[in-house]
Every structure is written in C-alpha cells, then in structure tokens.
Amino acid sequence: MKEDLAQQHSGDWELYALLDIFTPAIRQALVNLPNFKDLIEVILDLGRLPEARFPNDYCYLSQTPVSPDDIAAVVARVGEFGKDNRAGIEQTLHRISCLRNRMGKIIGLTCRVGRAVYGTIDIILDVVRSGKSILLLGRPGVGKTTMLREVARVLSGDLRKRVVIVDTSNEIAGDGDVPHAGIGHARRMQVDVPLNQHAVMIEAVENHMPEVIVIDEIGTHAEAEAARTIAERGVTLIGTAHGQTLENLLMNPTLSDLVGGVSAVTLSDEEARRRGTRKTVLERKAPPTFDVVIEIHDRDRLAIHKNVADVIDALLRGYQPQPEIRQREASGEVTVVQEADTESMPRLSDGYDHDRDTDERDRPLLIFPYGVSRNKIERAIANLRVHASIARNWDDADVVLTLKTLERKEQPKLKQIASDNVPIYSIKTNTTTQIQTALRDVFNLGSIDHEELALRETEEAIYQVLLTNQAIELSPQTSYVRRMQHQLAERYRLQSRSTGLEPNRRVKIFKTTDA
C-alpha cells in the first residue's frame, strides 16, 4: 500500500513515514482527504473520534472512537518517549506527544507533521548574512522553528559557518542519532530534558568551538543567562522565544535580559534638568544579548528591529518604535511595507553627552573587595542585577567594599585608598544581605522589597546549581520567605532544605540525588 501511495503523491515520503504509524483504517482515511498535503496534526484521544487538523479547519477520520488498541499500535511504531513525553520518527521532523493519566498510562496522542520548508528565510536573508545575533519572536505555531532550521542550513552551507544546534526535544533536526538533512552542515547537540537546555548551551561553546549557536524557545532565566554568557564570548546566536512584540519581551522579567534588561536609575538634580525627566528613570541595564529582534506576525509578514539597543533606549523614554515591516507577496516577491523610522526616534544624546553616557553604561562599575568575600559580592551583583564586576587591583576600582572592623583599625592600605579619593563602603558582617545593602547605596537603588531580593538570590542560586551541580546556601530568611524559596526550587525540580537555627535559619538548594 505504501508504494501505491507514494506513486500518487511523489516527493512526500516524509509525510508517508508518518502515515505508517497509524492503523490501516486511519491511514486510508487520511489519504482520502482532498487537502491531505495541508495536514498539520492528527489527534487520537481515548474514547473520542480521531481528528485530522488543518491550518483553519478539522475533520473526523472515523465514526468509531479511539480504542486502547489504536493508541497502543501507534506507540509501538514510534521511538521511545522521553521525559518530556515526546517521541519521533527517525530522520523525520514529525513529533508525537502523549497525554498520560495519573498512573502514567498513555491515553492521548498528538501526532504533528514536521516539514522542512526551504526558502522561508528569503524574506530576511540579508539580515541572516549580516553576522548579527538574531532573536525570532512569535506565537506558537507561527513558523519560528521552521525558520530557525532554514537559518542553520544557510549559515552552515552557503556561508560555511561552524554551526551547532542545541536541539531540545529533537524538534529542529528530527528524531534519531542522524540529524535531518534540513539543517544542512550544522551539527546537532541533543538535550535530555528541557530543564538542561542552558547547560548544553554552555557545553556547546566550551567543547565544540562554534561560530554560531542555534537555540529554540529560550524560556527560563537560566537559559537567558546562558545566552548572555555565549554572546560575551563572541559567538553569534540565533534563537527563538514566545512573544508578540519587542515591548512584551522587555516587560517579561524572565527574558528581558535578552534585550539588555531594565534598571531604575536615580539622576542628580542637574542631570534630571538636563534630560528634562524625573529624577528616577528606567534605563537599559546592559548591552542586549541579541542585536536584531524579528517579530513574526505570520509566515509571510514580519517586523524587524535592526538596532535593538537604540530601540530599547527609545522605548524606555516613552517612544513607540516603528520597525521595518516586510511582506512576501503571492508571487513570492518580498516588499517593504513600512520603512524603519530612525530619524524621529529620540536619542539618549538629547540633552546630554551621549558618548560619555554610553561609555559609562557599557563599562561595569569595578568593586574591589577588601576583606569581603568575592563570591558573595558576585552573588549580590547578580541578585540586584546591577552592572558591576570585581576589580583585580584596588587602583583600578571605582568603589572599595570592606568590613567596619577593618576600617576602624585604620589599615594602611585603606588609608592609601582613601587618600586617592576612591569611595569606601563598609559593612558590619561578610554576608550577601549586607553586601546587597551596600550596593543599593552605591547604585542609588533606594529601598527594594526584601522578598523580591530573596527570590532573586534564589533564582541565581538555582541557575548556579543547575550549571555546576554544587549545592548553595542562601541568606537567612523568615519562615515565610523560606517557604517561597522552597517552592521556587521545587519548580525547577531541585531539592532544598532549611538548615541552622533562628534567626540564622536558611535554605540550602541542591540537585536531586537520583537525577
């Protein structure tokens, strides 16, 4: 039967590979559909009629409800289901996802058709060839992964770049150990569970020397941090994230760092008058991880923000950006429907020295620890999300952080530092909480909600535990805050326990022993 079908529909062998997993009755019903080639997915739910779904419609494939035998027949013909409840068919892009009952038994299947569509990036080919890091935004099902696959093929083939794909759930390069031909010469690293995607991203850079890394669905703080680390090492990133617009992404606390992040800055009276703003303003915290953001409206229409740093700066000053909008016509020709408006976009130079401000923003504040733990300073910097780093020598420092006991003893080095007019901030005890309080003064952050700080510290600790497998103890907290910290650790499938006695009782986070 398969050979007859192939003769009727030549060139669609991958689609027929999907047909082979179904029972003969469902297989024949699919082939008889007039719009068979437009099939998106087949739904098999126990006790319900089997469905075929299309872009804007669906139909039933039988008047007989799906039986346990129907589901068992499909499960027997596909690859093994992973921890993410997904399976596939070797060397194809099809994805079979299962629904389970409370006992773990499979009671439903979503059999999604995967297609390697060539020519989908002709609409952004110039941007891909520019060598810039690109983030694709769009709702689920709009074609982000298809476009990502094509970008990998073009970069690795036409441009002969060293491309590594971090492939969570084998969605980009298909199931099996041999990747699908649709990714060209790109290499693929598989991810065992989605939770480990960030670790595989770092491993790809450290072990395989890529020029380009391709990542699908960046969705957690750990993945956003890993993306920033990769970008700082000079590797080009091509990634996707769920979201409608760049502005939505900026307001997303988990992913805003991908486009530079946001921090509240308190200006001097003179600076506020010069800018014509209030004293407390929102500013971009750091350089964006991605240079270009592309909003995919549908498969033939998208908006391009080519200079993300300038667009974010303008957004934070109340300006609505006007991106370049491109559209693919029915003839295949790509037209620019709207030009990007860069002339009327307010610049940070409006009212003050742009070059000076840019230099100050791009360069982190250098902190020299004198008798204070470097690791705890780094943790406090991460918790507060301020643009700072550790100075190797005191004479390079913008700020010195020390203990009150050392300052009272009038250490000779501290005297010398003070004589050079380097600001010295002292803390009572060598704890992350005390360091955070000092940094709030340094950056004029004002009061920050204690619970928010505690949860930021927890998020950073979770990232470090996932990355290094090393247990981390958090700062002492009240029982209420500790409960929230335990819940956050549980969300990432990590173990946690409270240790110590009040008022120094704290949460320790570590990886599950049987993971």
Side-chain angles (χ1 to χ4, degrees):
M1 179 179 178
K2 181 179 175 182
E3 293 179 358
D4 294 336
L5 296 178
Q7 290 174 1
Q8 294 170 21
H9 304 278
S10 60
D12 291 326
W13 71 268
E14 286 192 38
L15 189 53
Y16 292 101
L18 180 66
L19 285 181
D20 275 352
I21 71 173
F22 300 117
T23 60
I26 292 178
R27 189 186 313 160
Q28 189 61 56
L30 284 167
V31 174
N32 290 340
L33 294 172
N35 52 349
F36 169 59
K37 288 189 178 181
D38 298 325
L39 181 69
I40 290 180
E41 60 190 13
V42 176
I43 303 297
L44 302 178
D45 285 339
L46 187 63
R48 293 184 171 183
L49 301 182
E51 294 179 25
R53 292 184 177 176
F54 301 91
N56 299 303
D57 197 8
Y58 74 93
C59 68
Y60 294 121
L61 297 171
S62 170
Q63 293 305 308
T64 303
V66 175
S67 69
D69 289 341
D70 294 330
I71 291 178
V74 174
V75 171
R77 290 184 173 95
V78 300
E80 185 178 350
F81 285 93
K83 295 179 182 178
D84 56 358
N85 286 319
R86 290 181 177 182
I89 302 170
E90 286 208 15
Q91 297 187 46
T92 74
L93 302 173
H94 306 312
R95 187 181 74 205
I96 295 88
S97 304
C98 68
L99 296 172
R100 299 179 185 269
N101 64 13
R102 294 176 62 188
M103 305 304 294
K105 180 182 177 182
I106 297 175
I107 57 172
L109 295 169
T110 302
C111 308
R112 191 168 182 85
V113 178
R115 295 180 175 90
V117 183
Y118 298 93
T120 59
I121 65 164
D122 56 344
I123 195 169
I124 56 166
L125 196 55
D126 58 322
V127 183
V128 172
R129 287 174 171 167
S130 69
K132 294 182 177 180
S133 292
I134 303 169
L135 180 66
L136 304 174
L137 287 181
R139 66 184 186 278
V142 78
K144 298 189 300 296
T145 305
T146 300
M147 192 172 283
L148 204 61
R149 187 181 302 117
E150 179 77 344
V151 169
R153 185 186 67 80
V154 170
L155 288 175
S156 62
D158 298 354
L159 300 183
R160 308 185 75 81
K161 297 281 188 180
R162 298 191 304 274
V163 180
V164 172
I165 296 170
V166 176
D167 199 2
T168 305
S169 301
N170 289 351
E171 195 164 356
I172 302 176
D175 201 54
D177 295 335
V178 179
H180 189 274
I183 66 170
H185 292 285
R187 304 179 74 192
R188 184 263 296 272
M189 292 184 67
Q190 298 186 40
V191 181
D192 54 352
V193 291
L195 193 65
N196 292 336
Q197 175 168 285
H198 69 282
V200 179
M201 290 164 63
I202 298 298
E203 181 186 343
V205 176
E206 294 179 342
N207 289 359
H208 303 290
M209 296 180 61
E211 295 174 282
V212 181
I213 284 189
V214 175
I215 319 147
D216 200 9
E217 295 187 16
I218 300 172
T220 68
H221 179 66
E223 290 162 9
E225 287 290 333
R228 174 169 294 282
T229 299
I230 291 168
E232 289 172 350
R233 297 186 185 187
V235 178
T236 300
L237 285 168
I238 311 292
T240 70
H242 289 315
Q244 298 289 337
T245 65
L246 176 56
E247 190 171 6
N248 294 152
L249 188 68
L250 182 62
M251 295 301 110
N252 183 326
T254 304
L255 300 180
S256 64
D257 282 353
L258 295 176
V259 290
V262 181
S263 63
V265 177
T266 303
L267 307 174
S268 66
D269 292 336
E270 180 185 354
E271 188 70 16
R273 283 195 300 270
R274 188 181 304 155
R275 297 193 190 189
T277 64
R278 294 173 299 177
K279 287 191 65 175
T280 301
V281 297
L282 295 178
E283 290 199 352
R284 177 166 49 86
K285 185 170 60 177
T289 301
F290 290 90
D291 308 307
V292 179
V293 169
I294 299 177
E295 302 168 2
I296 306 175
H297 297 164
D298 58 47
R299 294 180 186 273
D300 297 314
R301 185 182 176 92
L302 46 80
I304 304 174
H305 299 278
K306 287 188 176 178
N307 193 328
V308 172
D310 286 348
V311 173
I312 295 299
D313 292 339
L315 270 171
L316 294 175
R317 300 191 72 190
Y319 171 78
Q320 282 300 118
Q322 179 177 301
E324 179 181 327
I325 296 180
R326 298 182 184 181
Q327 183 166 310
R328 185 189 292 108
E329 307 295 344
S331 62
E333 181 183 0
V334 175
T335 59
V336 177
V337 178
Q338 172 182 286
E339 296 281 355
D341 180 11
T342 56
E343 297 300 322
S344 63
M345 188 163 62
R347 303 290 180 183
L348 285 173
S349 55
D350 294 348
Y352 66 101
D353 187 343
H354 174 257
D355 291 336
R356 182 197 68 190
D357 184 79
T358 300
D359 290 343
E360 289 177 356
R361 178 183 290 105
D362 290 344
R363 189 180 74 83
L365 183 84
L366 296 177
I367 302 171
F368 180 71
Y370 189 76
V372 179
S373 166
R374 289 173 178 259
N375 289 337
K376 290 179 181 177
I377 292 178
E378 289 174 345
R379 187 183 301 179
I381 289 170
N383 292 344
L384 291 173
R385 300 174 185 174
V386 292
H387 194 34
S389 61
I390 305 295
R392 293 185 178 180
N393 304 299
W394 70 264
D395 50 355
D396 295 330
D398 300 308
V399 168
V400 171
L401 191 59
T402 188
L403 297 172
K404 285 186 181 295
T405 53
L406 295 177
E407 192 176 29
R408 290 194 196 104
K409 293 177 181 178
E410 297 185 346
Q411 297 282 337
K413 180 170 281 190
L414 287 178
K415 283 186 176 181
Q416 184 180 356
I417 291 170
S419 67
D420 285 349
N421 295 320
V422 178
I424 298 175
Y425 288 78
S426 56
I427 57 178
K428 290 182 180 179
T429 55
N430 192 3
T431 65
T432 304
T433 302
Q434 287 279 306
I435 294 169
Q436 286 174 174
T437 301
L439 290 183
R440 288 205 302 271
D441 292 339
V442 172
F443 285 90
N444 293 317
L445 296 180
S447 61
I448 294 181
D449 183 76
H450 177 73
E451 292 175 10
E452 181 184 350
L453 276 179
L455 293 179
R456 285 187 187 179
E457 181 186 10
T458 309
E459 287 180 349
E460 176 63 22
I462 286 170
Y463 170 65
Q464 292 297 332
V465 171
L466 291 172
L467 195 63
T468 66
N469 292 334
Q470 298 295 316
I472 290 182
E473 280 193 359
L474 305 178
S475 304
Q477 302 294 346
T478 63
S479 60
Y480 173 72
V481 174
R482 291 200 304 270
R483 184 163 61 251
M484 290 193 295
Q485 291 175 323
H486 286 304
Q487 290 170 349
L488 193 57
E490 184 179 356
R491 190 183 307 167
Y492 285 87
R493 299 180 185 176
L494 292 177
Q495 296 277 47
S496 63
R497 65 167 176 259
S498 294
T499 62
L501 301 174
E502 300 289 1
N504 293 315
R505 194 161 175 78
R506 66 190 68 204
V507 170
K508 182 177 183 179
I509 298 176
F510 51 97
K511 216 161 188 185
T512 309
T513 54
D514 58 355

